[in-house]
Amino acid sequence: MQKISVLLFLAWVSFLFYAGIALFTSGFLLTRLELTNHSSCHEPPGPGSLPWGSQGKPGACWMASRFSRLVLVLVDALRFDFAQPQPSHGPGEPPVSLPFLGKLNSLQRILEIQPHHARLYQSKADPPTTTMQRLKALTTGSLPTFIDAGSNFASYAIVEDNLIKQLTNAGRHVVFMGDDTWKDLFPGAFSQAFFFPSFNVRDLHTVDNGILEHLYPTMDGGEWDVLIAHFLGVDHCGHKYGPHHPEMAKKLSQMDQVIQGLVERLENDTLLVVIGDHGMTITGDHGGDSDLEISAALFLYSPKALFPRVPPKEPEIVPQISLVPTLALLLGLPIPFGNIGEVMAELFAEAEDSQPHSSALAQASALHLNAQQVSRFLHTYSAAAQNLQVKELHQLQNLFSKASADYQRLLQSPQGAEAALQTVITELQQFLRGVRAMCIESWARFSLSFLLLHLLAAGIPITTPGPFTVPWQAVSAWALMATQTFYSLGHQPVFPAIHWHAAFVGFPEGHGSSTWLPALLVGANTFASHLLFAVGCPLLLLWPFLCESQGARKRWQPLGNEAEARVRPEEEEEPRMEMRLRDAPHHFNAALLQLGLKYLFVLGIQILACALAASILRRHLMVWKVFAPKFIFEAMGFIVSSVGLFLGIALVMRVDGAVSSWFRQLILAQQR
């Protein structure tokens, strides 16, 4: 085989593996660019005057606040049917036996007694339905993914604009109690915090009881503006027993008592929000995109009338991220910069529907502010990244321009335009929903692809007859030694364990504005074992010849006289070591190709195992902290190893070519 053919074939096989890795990554890791821009009260989201009633009021920002306080109760894994009111069974009908149904009776009682004060929604979460990703969605209003391209892998802190950041900027006192995941996401953001470890999923009570120890005293103390309580018992009960276990009924009854106790303590200026970050499957797991996993409950209550109409028979379905712009405007805050959620318009209508025009104008104003903010985000994002569909983006911007022009025109003649206001509201909602659909298509295609399994078949090594073969055991051991060395050097396949200090080796004063050099140093430190063992892989082919035994020598048998001496056929020549490669030069390149394919195949098996683990365990609590990072490290290690293998084989071929040239010259010299 020709040298160039060997290198091209190896490059082609590597490319197939790269394509498989990229395909799996695009459907599972859900990458997008993360912007660090922040909204500000001093900078309106777009041209034009702010809505009526915003100026001159204390606490007002883009829109006058309707509530000065917020109690946010996050019941982890509160699936919608856990909170859905159950119809009373008639005479002779058996009662519902499922333990998780009908246990949140306080919600049903409030909805019946105070229909204008409360509302229950079915909140639809975007996958992945893991707690960390859901918390990012519930505070930023965007579609968080596993890898946010602009984030610092050394920390899980949210750097995007979010509700917690806006609250602290506005001087609000935010008190948190519950799941310690918030400590990593919002370090130093809370004026008071009671964190409890969330790792032990078999512990149903420690976190919940810890919250209850502080919840009511803190609430009665009054030194807070926003109170956040993140309960974990329902989620842990699902993981330990599943939703159909009697323990689930006990945990839901406990949450019902919590909600009832909070409602009794609420004042008129306080809004109560009870929400689940995601649902759970029939086995109690979550992380994927099934209906039971993305379906969560959302309950809103205010001591003062909040809704102009009674609740519908079937609760409305709303995207989970719609809560972010809604809470921001209700509390008099700017909407976070990267939000793509749609405000829940009915919360901005007049509680008493005696003035339909004023109510419709308030809803249109909230939607227009929301649309201006989303349009600003799209303009900024599309200028920094090119992963949004240009044609659809242009159409959406045209729709927003028309709706905004219609809204401004109605402000000039506010009387007698109810029908026109409804048209504007519809146009603004179409724009916001179109943006969300486009972003989901671009960022959150949560699909599992196993094309990598088929691409591995391309790496099955060919069988080439010849004297140069390396056994599978040796190739597998060589690959395992590379992995072992990775761990032996103190590395771990998780982002916080990356040796960032390697970026400053030899550069104690820093690199100035350069980013590629520190990235190269960190990468070289992390994947040094992969690179060195891949470059040295061709030694497996050469080593047997270099270590050939020196014990055998030519044995001469004199027959009469020295001139007639000859060597017997069974006697051995003196070992020629690596010069033996010259005996079959046409087999040597094929043997290099076979060795390279074997090594790629072993590495590909490791990649496949990581991809399968990340896919099968996508509902595991630790998928985004353990299994997905492991896949990324293996993928990067494969890329580094394949490049190193290519360089190592090319180097050996270059040396072989030089030796061949010298050998030919030596033969010619002897013939002369």
Side-chain angles (χ1 to χ4, degrees), residues 470 478 533-543 588 592 595 644-645 647-652:
V470 180
W478 194 257
F533 276 86
V535 172
C537 186
L539 293 177
L540 295 175
L541 188 64
L542 302 176
W543 187 252
F588 182 58
L592 280 174
L595 174 60
L645 179 67
L647 294 176
I649 291 179
L651 178 62
V652 169

Side-chain angles (χ1 to χ4, degrees), residues 226-422:
V226 175
L227 179 58
I228 303 173
H230 186 168
F231 291 90
L232 287 177
V234 172
D235 179 70
H236 287 188
C237 183
H239 286 293
K240 185 175 182 180
Y241 298 112
H244 296 83
H245 195 275
E247 285 294 328
M248 183 61 75
K250 295 180 182 178
K251 291 307 298 183
L252 290 174
S253 297
Q254 183 186 33
M255 293 301 100
D256 185 67
Q257 296 175 4
V258 170
I259 295 171
Q260 185 174 351
L262 291 173
V263 168
E264 294 172 355
R265 289 172 168 81
L266 289 182
E267 299 179 357
N268 286 337
D269 64 343
T270 307
L271 174 66
L272 172 65
V273 177
V274 180
I275 188 171
D277 55 344
H278 51 73
M280 66 174 66
T281 64
I282 59 174
T283 59
D285 299 319
H286 59 89
D289 58 349
S290 66
D291 289 339
L292 291 178
E293 291 171 279
I294 64 174
S295 175
L298 171 60
F299 177 76
L300 302 178
Y301 172 78
S302 170
K304 62 182 180 182
L306 186 59
F307 302 93
R309 290 177 292 276
V310 297
K313 292 183 178 180
E314 290 295 329
E316 182 183 352
I317 300 176
V318 298
Q320 190 180 69
I321 57 176
S322 294
L323 184 64
V324 173
T326 303
L327 290 181
L329 294 184
L330 287 176
L331 295 173
L333 300 171
I335 300 175
F337 189 92
N339 164 75
I340 57 171
E342 171 193 344
V343 294
M344 301 158 66
E346 68 172 334
L347 273 78
F348 297 89
E350 298 295 333
E352 297 181 1
D353 207 6
S354 57
Q355 297 179 320
H357 178 271
S358 176
S359 182
L361 184 58
Q363 295 181 65
S365 298
L367 284 167
H368 185 251
L369 277 174
N370 188 187
Q372 282 184 313
Q373 168 264 317
V374 171
S375 176
R376 181 185 64 178
F377 166 72
L378 284 182
H379 178 76
T380 305
Y381 187 91
S382 59
Q386 286 74 42
N387 58 356
L388 295 178
Q389 303 174 24
V390 177
K391 181 179 179 181
E392 189 170 353
L393 182 63
H394 183 68
Q395 293 174 347
L396 288 170
Q397 292 290 16
N398 288 339
L399 177 60
F400 168 71
S401 298
K402 179 181 182 303
S404 182
D406 293 342
Y407 171 77
Q408 296 294 342
R409 186 166 55 252
L410 285 174
L411 290 181
Q412 305 302 323
S413 54
Q415 300 300 324
E418 286 80 5
L421 272 174
Q422 291 300 326

